[in-house]
Amino acid sequence: MSDEKNPSSAASNFESAKAHAKEAVDATKAHIKEAVDHSKEQFKSAAEDLRAAAEAKARELRGTAEAKAKEFRETAEAKAKEYRGRAEQTYGETRERVRTLQEDGEAYIRANPIKAVFTAVFAGFLLGLIFRR
């Protein structure tokens, strides 16, 4: 008797094939689930690695930025001190020149009082004319 002629044998083979197909589907589902779980773990690991690398780079950049800011601050302070020194020197020289001019003016007035008075009157007269207009 062949299997084709025996209906119970054909049904049995069909049920057996059906069971094998179900097992294959279940095994495939399990493999897919494992692959998905494994992929999730790899993605999580890659994301953590990326985050750690980004944090390390951020720390490195922060350190570099702080070092540059300190360098710029020191340079600015040095320039400010240099300019302050120049300003103080110029102020001192100017003050000395003004003092010298004042002393020279006083000496000229003591030596030539009449000329000084007439010069002052003439200058006052000219300024009065100029400001009147």
Side-chain angles (χ1 to χ4, degrees), residues 5-124:
K5 293 183 182 176
N6 189 351
S8 69
S9 175
S12 168
N13 284 342
F14 179 71
E15 290 299 321
S16 175
K18 192 175 167 183
H20 284 301
K22 186 174 182 343
E23 287 176 12
V25 167
D26 289 343
T28 302
K29 283 182 182 178
H31 286 300
I32 290 173
K33 185 177 183 319
E34 286 179 25
V36 167
D37 290 343
H38 182 68
S39 295
K40 283 182 183 178
E41 289 175 13
Q42 285 182 335
F43 283 135
K44 284 181 183 178
S45 176
E48 288 175 5
D49 292 345
L50 183 61
R51 183 180 50 80
E55 287 176 354
K57 194 64 168 174
R59 281 192 298 271
E60 178 185 337
L61 290 175
R62 187 178 332 123
T64 303
E66 287 173 354
K68 284 293 181 186
K70 182 179 179 184
E71 181 182 325
F72 289 147
R73 189 179 318 113
E74 289 171 353
T75 302
E77 287 174 356
K79 285 293 182 185
K81 285 179 184 178
E82 178 184 339
Y83 292 141
R84 188 179 308 123
R86 286 183 187 174
E88 288 173 354
Q89 180 182 1
T90 303
Y91 175 74
E93 290 172 359
T94 304
R95 193 173 66 195
E96 190 61 36
R97 278 192 226 144
V98 168
R99 186 177 303 141
T100 303
L101 287 174
Q102 180 183 0
E103 290 171 357
D104 290 348
E106 288 174 1
Y108 179 79
I109 291 171
R110 283 190 190 110
N112 304 304
I114 295 176
K115 271 186 176 179
V117 169
F118 284 130
T119 303
V121 168
F122 181 71

